[in-house]
Amino acid sequence: MDYITSVSKPLLVVGIAHGEPIAIFRTFIMKNVSLKDIAQKVGTSISTVSFVLNGKEKQVRISDILAKKIREVAKKEGYLPNKMAIGLKTGKSNIVGLVVDTISGRLFAALAEVIEKELDNHGYKVIYCSTGNNAKKGKELIELLYQHQVDGYMIIPAEGMEKEIGQLEEQGKPLVLIDSYFPKLKTAHVLVDNYGGISDAVDFLVKKQYKKIAFVYNDVAMIQMKERKRAYQEKMKGAGIKPLADWLLKVPFADAGEEQALKIELFLKKVQPDAVIFAANYLGIHGIEAIHNLKLKFPADIGIICFDDHEVFNLHQPAITVVKQPVPELAKTAVAILLAKLRKEPSSAPDAVEIKAKLIERQSTR
Amino acid sequence: MDYITSVSKPLLVVGIAHGEPIAIFRTFIMKNVSLKDIAQKVGTSISTVSFVLNGKEKQVRISDILAKKIREVAKKEGYLPNKMAIGLKTGKSNIVGLVVDTISGRLFAALAEVIEKELDNHGYKVIYCSTGNNAKKGKELIELLYQHQVDGYMIIPAEGMEKEIGQLEEQGKPLVLIDSYFPKLKTAHVLVDNYGGISDAVDFLVKKQYKKIAFVYNDVAMIQMKERKRAYQEKMKGAGIKPLADWLLKVPFADAGEEQALKIELFLKKVQPDAVIFAANYLGIHGIEAIHNLKLKFPADIGIICFDDHEVFNLHQPAITVVKQPVPELAKTAVAILLAKLRKEPSSAPDAVEIKAKLIERQSTR
DNA sequence: CTGAAAGCGCTTACAG
DNA sequence: CTGAAAGCGCTTACAG
């Protein structure tokens, strides 16, 4: 590790706040203060303290003086309830588990921000976990969340998670899937209108007189990708163009980035399409790399359009035309469904929602 | 919501797995099976079951037959230990809390992936939380993690979290800061060599004969940004160039993206530097927008260099020269420090590490 | 070799 | 108006 430039070993710091008098910190120090401690200090019982601190003093008719005293002491001592104990007792955690495929994906980042904010407004915290599209990890994570008594689940499902998701459902756990679902299960889900999005892309390219339109997708055998592919094939046929088998390129999801770019490069070189649809944003990114490497220019040499937007596409010169997923709407809708389930409301809203994607024309098509 | 395209209300699914016989699911169903249940089924005591399931059968000399039986029943019943109960009893959760500023940032995404994998190898799961650079939220999140008996903390500190971080330290909680730290506290931390990184950038530009080098930074009053600014000022002076006050632009972190781009645009228009250093990657992204809007070309009209890499910079044409943070090394080092603390090892490694950044020349400078 | 019992920190009927 | 007590599901000395 010749990387390390400068190191220093800090002093052992015990109870000292550098530059600050220790007394100030003492007041706010987080100790393991329990209800028992407070009860003793105040000279009352644990139950009374619990009632007051949970705002149930009126129901149980505890005197204002006592209640006030209890609150004061709790504050002074810096009481923080032990969530483990509460969870064990009540079976509730006020936590929602969000399971995603990869944490570095754009979809996740955009989703997470909205979901965290929305759920926070309702008193729920979010735990994130990522499966890396690995079935075993997915199973483990769901079990882990289950063991931690998570109240609700939001899952971007991956291959191989069908069984665990089915089990959560059987248990009646509040659960909503995002971005995909398993057709065999009737789990609540919200996702983009994949079929419609790719249909729009094909229509758009056909109207622009593109003829040889290629389609680059991945090997994730989930409904969202299947729908995109189906839309491509049906719409092409509808336009009177029969796409040859070799106009389609399936890039393994697990391949390294450079490997994917290389495969796309070879594909484009061989097939020489006049336009390409990339069925996922990361494929589009690798596609741009490939096109750069081939020294092709777009839209002059080739037209491109990508399903799902990304910062890169907007900033690129020329900017890339995309089919944009309404990610904030997806997130909000999913949260709304989950909240209804958490509240055990007779969900008035539909439990299976598709939201339209929107084609945004930029400069990567003629 | 005219966005909604098609909706359908699934059947109520209770104990039915569509297309699969119910019996198959029954076997694996996640019930709330407890030690007590297993003890009853086997006809032994809770403690014996606990010992066996925790692999302590040898220590306590439980007969192989009994142990085997217990394991069988546990498996058949789908026993999953209640982590709340374990946590309450042991005070351990096997969870590490990772607190970041924003979850959609590149730094977070790259860090999270490495951290999750490394900690997973050691039996720890990760909970992510984001503060949105809001001091109040930061405080709440640390408290929340504390209440959930998290075993260790990895924190990208933001302004206003000093007190809580000091408290964690006083409590002797395993804790390591990433990307920044508070000079007054001696908390373990690992970050990039900010001073060296910007120094290299200035040297590089000076060597390329740039004279009027501007510096765009933000108002986050944390050490990492202060160091970057200090490096700019000192190195410019060292090169015999006295940067005027108006060569520096401080962009409020809280501003919306377009607002930031606009401020940078006006700044560049007014100051007309021949090169700009952007002190954070998102500033560079807004800077590129601004430069596009001004119809300037780089490197012809202006040279640019950005602290911290981003997908956008590599894919942009021309690609942007950057000072790259060694994010995986940061993450690995931080995890190593934290693990030592979790194991209560007399940390042999240094507790304060700076890792060198690396200048990557691309095409945005002449 | 195995079990009864205490206790982690809470909540919440129940009794007074 | 307030307190004693049971119990959530575990772990772990302790006793036999």
Side-chain angles (χ1 to χ4, degrees), chain A residues 179-243:
Chain A
D179 191 49
S180 190
Y181 62 93
F182 298 100
K184 284 188 190 170
L185 300 178
K186 295 293 176 196
T187 325
H189 57 264
V190 6
L191 70 167
V192 70
D193 174 13
N194 290 286
Y195 189 93
I198 291 292
S199 295
D200 290 350
V202 172
D203 287 349
F204 175 84
L205 291 173
V206 166
K207 202 173 291 169
K208 296 250 179 193
Q209 306 297 325
Y210 285 105
K211 301 290 178 209
K212 192 168 178 180
I213 303 170
F215 186 77
V216 176
Y217 65 117
N218 66 26
D219 60 344
V220 174
M222 294 288 292
I223 189 88
Q224 78 277 33
M225 195 49 75
K226 286 180 184 163
E227 284 295 288
R228 291 176 205 169
K229 185 181 168 201
R230 189 169 68 87
Y232 164 74
Q233 290 175 314
E234 293 185 3
K235 278 288 166 171
M236 289 290 280
K237 244 174 250 168
I241 313 176
K242 256 255 177 85

Side-chain angles (χ1 to χ4, degrees), chain A residues 153-302:
Chain A
Y153 300 77
M154 307 189 82
I155 303 179
I156 298 184
E159 286 174 73
M161 290 170 70
E162 187 160 4
K163 200 173 79 186
E164 282 70 32
I165 288 174
Q167 287 173 4
L168 287 178
E169 210 175 83
E170 283 184 73
Q171 295 248 318
K173 296 284 180 192
L175 163 64
V176 54
L177 306 182
I178 304 177
D179 191 49
S180 190
Y181 62 93
F182 298 100
K184 284 188 190 170
L185 300 178
K186 295 293 176 196
T187 325
H189 57 264
V190 6
L191 70 167
V192 70
D193 174 13
N194 290 286
Y195 189 93
I198 291 292
S199 295
D200 290 350
V202 172
D203 287 349
F204 175 84
L205 291 173
V206 166
K207 202 173 291 169
K208 296 250 179 193
Q209 306 297 325
Y210 285 105
K211 301 290 178 209
K212 192 168 178 180
I213 303 170
F215 186 77
V216 176
Y217 65 117
N218 66 26
D219 60 344
V220 174
M222 294 288 292
I223 189 88
Q224 78 277 33
M225 195 49 75
K226 286 180 184 163
E227 284 295 288
R228 291 176 205 169
K229 185 181 168 201
R230 189 169 68 87
Y232 164 74
Q233 290 175 314
E234 293 185 3
K235 278 288 166 171
M236 289 290 280
K237 244 174 250 168
I241 313 176
K242 256 255 177 85
L244 296 175
D246 68 358
W247 294 12
L248 283 93
L249 175 67
K250 187 198 284 190
V251 184
F253 182 87
D255 278 5
E258 312 86 62
E259 179 67 19
Q260 299 197 23
L262 186 65
K263 280 181 179 159
I264 295 173
E265 187 179 332
L266 296 175
F267 168 76
L268 294 177
K269 200 166 175 177
K270 194 182 106 204
V271 178
Q272 306 220 340
D274 57 7
V276 194
I277 297 173
F278 294 101
N281 60 11
Y282 77 95
L283 290 171
I285 290 176
H286 296 136
I288 294 173
E289 275 178 64
I291 291 171
H292 289 169
N293 292 342
L294 288 168
K295 311 264 181 252
L296 294 177
K297 296 280 169 214
F298 48 83
D301 303 323
I302 188 167

